[in-house]
Amino acid sequence: MRHAAEAPSATSSAAPSGPRAARTGPSGPSRPGAAPADLLAALPAEPADHVLRVDARDVALPDDGGVLAVLTLTAADERRPTTLGPRGLAVLHEALVAVQRRAERGEVAAVAVTGRPGCFVAGADLGVARTLRDRSDARTLGVAGHATLRLLGEMPVPTVAWITGHALGGGLELALHCDHRVVAAGVRSLGLPEASLGIVPGWGGCWLLPRLVGLPAAVDLAVLRPLAGNRLTTAEQALASGLVDAVLPADGFERHALAWTAGTLRAGDAAPDRRGAAVPPLPPGEPDPVARAAAALDARLHGAAPAYAHVLDLLARAGARDRDAGFRAEDDALGALLLSDQARAALYAAELTGPGSRRAARPDGPEAEPRPVRSVGIVGAGLMAAQLAVLLGSRLDVPVAMREVDEERAAAGRRRVEELVTQAVDRGRLDPDAGRRLVDRVRVGTDLAELAGADLVVEAVTEVLDVKRAVFAELEQLVRPDCVLATNTSALSVAAMADGLAHPGRVVGLHVFNPVAQMPLVEVVAAGSSDAAALATAVDVARRAGKTVVRTTDRPGFVVNRVLLRMLADVLAAVEGGTPVDVADAALRPLGLPMSPFALLQLVGLPVARHVLVTLHDELGDRYPLSPGLDRLVEQGRAVTRTGPAGSPEVDPAVQDAFGPATGGGGEAVLDRVARGLAEEIGLLLDEGVVPGPEQVDLAMLLGAGWPAHLGGICPWLDREGWSERVLGRRLLPPGVASVPA
């Protein structure tokens, strides 16, 4: 039974009603499972403020339908996402056993499990997972999770998950064990991201999911979506796939969920128990989803992330295993993977990038208060400037004034803003009324004086130092002394732009990555003259715009472009030295990068890449060798990629002529050169104090360059492969941070 429309309202009450007959579960009459408290006693426990709290209450079902036992799950500290660690599992197990006994006595007619608004359960406690000591510990965590959550699947009365928000990993698995699932409209974060964390859905997800949604949808949710940058599932998508039974209005969600539950119970709970049923067969002519996913994994990862293959195997074999065998297979896989270097690295990456994580570096002294930003000015109206206007206008809810040099360019800028807003509305990121207000709030003109009242002005003009300096010199004559001036430069010196100004302290770097709506990172760059209040304002604006901040000092290329261009420069240098372009382009495949080097060049734009390379060569020397072949490609205006057999872009062998004849050289030598160069460059930028430590390098590369999370970022990979010690004589990260302690 599936519903997307609003359910009729129902009145909640705490008065219990008479007993009801217990239902026989899929594995016979329901009995309390083995208490996990003994299993978990020896495991490291989550901090006290992480521990799950279960609030149980009775609600009278309408029309004398009996008592609904409602269990509300929250973290002890409700400001934190609700997660499940060892102590939390024990608390949940105790609560479920208690309600199961009541159900067996006929005291409750059904059980609902829910969370606070915005968060159902965000998964297992990753901090605990990183402290497990051996394979036995890891397997125990899986066994205890199964022993707890399966109580919902074997309850003698119907169970319903009322999904209020984030339902990820173990949180979604909890919902899968229930007979029914309903979700609040607008929820956008349902998923099983475990493969991207180097592990498997180990609390029933791999066995249950194919039975509920079929094998193709299960493979998409648990393998392909994590592979594609952890794309999550929305409430509406979950309804279409059969993952949930109904999408209910978010306003008054519990009232609607109660009415939906009551209606389902009145219908006699006649829906088939898909949790224990066979995996639905593929329709005739349907391509094998397992084979297709295996090909995608091979094309993208080349064996670099074994957890994906484990998840795929568990899904493929789920139909041939009964519940106990399926859960044991998940326990075995979790035990094998959770203590691997790959899992530790991926969990380290998740901690860096997840909610409440170790994020931006803090200043050494007290942090200044940011200045209020009530209006924003932007110099320029090109594509980047228009994207910034839409981001800041919508997220900060402030008027934005843009300035171009002539009316023709200003008109083009207005069209760009309107097109970007239309796209945001069409994709559901803005509602139509908000879109109309945003277009009205962004003014594009030719008079620089329109920016005089702004609290923050961002220059987004061409990447030429003298042009940017001239813009700031002109702005300084117009704006207030406390107005913050920010440059969106990706590599140029912020200090050089501020040199000669009367108030150089208010100039900061605000490097927002393109495409602005999708890229989560902003590098906030501190020149030597930047004052604390200006920097705090830039950080505050970036965070209010929904971005993650990495603070850097004013060194060429900052973090992301400096590291990426070192990698590309070494690949191009190998080609200039005679390595065939197709060999060099394929050399980094073992890393599982989101795209090959030449595909990245094409995405960035060859003229832009050449400009940044020249800048870094001039500033940092021959570690960034110039590429005559790249110069020729820019002059010829040629594309460098084509679509490969797997559908991904790869280098077009025809561009070899721009570099001269290939004389030989293998991919392994290219990969070694790149790895050596990356270790050297990261060691240097850390020695220079560009960021305080390797965690900020990893955060920047994960969010600003798409460096694979399954590698944990760039520093864990360099440490794990031995390059840090060979090149620098030291590891970049302490032992155990992103690897299994020796």
Side-chain angles (χ1 to χ4, degrees):
M1 180 186 307
R2 299 182 193 167
H3 306 276
E6 178 172 335
S9 60
T11 303
S12 298
S13 166
S17 60
R20 291 173 57 90
R23 181 186 64 160
T24 298
S27 299
S30 215
R31 298 177 302 276
D38 295 337
L39 293 172
L40 297 168
L43 297 186
E46 67 270 41
D49 62 348
H50 293 207
V51 176
L52 181 76
R53 185 178 69 196
V54 180
D55 294 321
R57 57 194 169 94
D58 287 347
V59 176
L61 291 163
D63 302 325
D64 295 323
V67 170
L68 176 70
V70 179
L71 305 180
T72 302
L73 313 183
T74 58
D77 179 354
E78 293 191 15
R79 295 170 298 180
R80 297 189 56 84
T82 304
T83 56
L84 289 168
R87 287 194 287 178
L89 281 174
V91 169
L92 179 59
H93 188 277
E94 182 180 358
L96 290 174
V97 167
V99 77
Q100 184 180 50
R101 288 172 177 159
R102 293 185 65 206
E104 289 172 341
R105 294 194 299 265
E107 296 174 10
V108 298
V111 178
V113 183
T114 190
R116 70 174 189 265
C119 185
F120 179 66
V121 177
D125 189 297
L126 297 180
V128 170
R130 290 186 67 251
T131 63
L132 300 177
R133 297 166 294 240
D134 54 36
R135 184 167 178 166
S136 175
D137 278 358
R139 196 176 191 283
T140 294
L141 192 60
V143 171
H146 281 124
T148 299
L149 301 191
R150 73 182 297 165
L151 291 171
L152 283 164
E154 299 172 359
M155 195 73 65
V157 295
T159 54
V160 188
W162 294 352
I163 302 173
T164 52
H166 308 309
L168 299 169
L172 184 58
E173 289 178 286
L174 186 154
L176 294 177
H177 281 273
C178 294
D179 294 293
H180 302 287
R181 287 152 299 283
V182 297
V183 61
V187 170
R188 306 184 64 84
S189 47
L190 309 175
L192 294 174
E194 283 89 343
S196 70
L197 301 175
I199 55 177
V200 301
W203 289 348
C206 291
W207 189 84
L208 290 165
L209 189 63
R211 289 169 162 78
L212 291 167
V213 301
L215 190 55
V219 168
D220 177 65
L221 188 77
V223 177
L224 298 180
R225 285 177 176 267
L227 182 66
N230 262 335
R231 286 192 299 117
L232 298 178
T233 298
T234 67
E236 292 70 22
Q237 291 167 338
L239 178 68
S241 70
L243 184 63
V244 300
D245 300 289
V247 176
L248 304 176
D251 188 18
F253 173 70
E254 183 169 313
R255 174 170 54 86
H256 297 298
L258 176 61
W260 187 92
T261 301
T264 300
L265 294 176
R266 281 196 301 271
D269 194 24
D273 181 10
R274 291 177 294 156
R275 295 166 303 131
V279 174
L282 293 176
E286 176 89 10
D288 180 0
V290 174
R292 292 180 66 183
L297 295 180
D298 182 62
R300 172 70 182 271
L301 300 175
H302 305 280
Y308 285 93
H310 278 273
V311 176
L312 189 59
D313 182 68
L314 287 168
L315 294 172
R317 296 174 184 267
R321 290 170 170 153
D322 64 19
R323 186 184 304 258
D324 290 336
F327 289 1
R328 282 196 302 271
E330 292 178 3
D331 294 335
D332 292 341
L334 195 63
L337 291 171
L338 196 48
L339 267 293
S340 67
D341 281 341
Q342 289 80 8
R344 287 296 174 91
L347 291 170
Y348 159 81
E351 288 181 330
L352 282 179
T353 59
S357 63
R358 298 167 284 173
R359 292 197 173 196
R362 300 292 177 187
D364 293 334
E367 189 164 2
E369 287 295 317
R371 294 170 183 158
V373 174
R374 303 181 187 91
S375 63
V376 172
I378 297 177
V379 182
L383 179 58
M384 190 65 188
Q387 292 181 84
L388 289 171
V390 170
L391 174 75
L392 299 177
S394 60
R395 292 301 189 99
L396 274 61
D397 194 24
V398 297
V400 178
M402 302 175 69
R403 183 259 190 176
E404 260 295 359
V405 295
D406 56 50
E407 181 53 39
E408 181 180 357
R409 293 178 183 176
R414 292 187 201 102
R415 290 193 296 272
R416 289 189 187 98
V417 169
E418 291 169 358
E419 290 166 0
L420 290 168
V421 171
T422 298
Q423 291 171 9
V425 170
D426 290 345
R427 292 169 182 169
R429 296 189 181 126
L430 280 175
D431 67 56
D433 289 341
R436 284 189 289 270
R437 289 194 300 271
L438 179 56
V439 169
D440 292 340
R441 197 181 298 138
V442 178
R443 306 187 315 277
V444 188
T446 59
D447 186 359
L448 195 64
E450 290 291 322
L451 281 57
D455 300 302
L456 167 72
V457 177
V458 183
E459 71 77 18
V461 299
T462 186
E463 193 78 345
V464 175
L465 180 60
D466 287 343
V467 174
K468 292 177 182 289
R469 293 187 64 183
V471 166
F472 280 148
E474 192 175 2
L475 279 170
E476 191 172 44
Q477 307 305 311
L478 296 170
V479 299
R480 300 189 311 272
D482 62 347
C483 174
V484 175
L485 302 180
T487 171
N488 191 46
T489 183
S490 60
L492 298 176
S493 169
V494 178
M497 293 180 210
D499 187 36
L501 296 180
H503 303 283
R506 60 179 172 181
V507 178
V508 298
L510 192 68
H511 180 207
V512 184
F513 285 74
N514 188 37
V516 171
Q518 284 80 44
M519 296 297 286
L521 182 72
V522 171
E523 290 176 322
V524 171
V525 184
S529 57
S530 301
D531 65 46
L535 288 166
T537 303
V539 170
D540 182 61
V541 165
R543 288 179 176 157
R544 288 167 59 198
K547 304 299 184 182
T548 296
V549 175
V550 168
R551 304 186 196 199
T552 82
T553 58
D554 187 22
R555 292 290 294 155
F558 318 130
V559 174
V560 174
N561 279 337
R562 178 167 172 175
V563 174
L564 272 186
L565 262 294
R566 179 64 192 267
M567 179 183 79
L568 292 175
D570 281 328
V571 171
L572 289 170
V575 176
E576 298 283 359
T579 302
V581 291
D582 55 343
V583 172
D585 195 49
L588 307 190
R589 282 181 182 170
L591 299 182
L593 297 173
M595 59 186 68
S596 70
F598 278 88
L600 178 60
L601 281 170
Q602 187 69 50
L603 178 68
V604 170
L606 271 63
V608 172
R610 179 177 67 171
H611 173 77
V612 178
L613 178 59
V614 170
T615 299
L616 294 177
H617 172 80
D618 292 344
E619 295 284 347
L620 299 175
D622 290 339
R623 299 197 310 275
Y624 291 82
L626 300 177
S627 171
L630 178 61
D631 293 342
R632 294 186 193 99
L633 291 170
V634 172
E635 291 162 6
Q636 296 165 5
R638 293 171 63 179
V640 296
T641 60
R642 65 181 185 182
T643 301
S648 301
E650 63 180 21
V651 70
D652 183 349
V655 305
Q656 182 71 57
D657 61 2
F659 296 93
T663 56
E668 185 174 343
V670 177
L671 180 58
D672 286 355
R673 176 175 184 150
V674 166
R676 183 176 295 277
L678 290 172
E680 178 186 36
E681 203 61 45
I682 289 170
L684 288 169
L685 71 83
L686 289 173
D687 291 345
E688 294 165 18
V690 178
V691 288
E695 286 186 341
Q696 284 76 45
V697 176
D698 285 323
L699 180 58
M701 295 304 291
L702 286 161
L703 298 185
W707 196 268
H710 67 260
L711 298 179
I714 194 166
C715 297
W717 177 73
L718 290 169
D719 283 350
R720 190 165 61 247
E721 297 299 317
W723 286 107
S724 306
E725 293 191 26
R726 286 196 289 274
V727 175
L728 305 173
R730 67 182 192 274
R731 292 174 64 92
L732 292 166
L733 289 161
V737 171
S739 60
V740 178

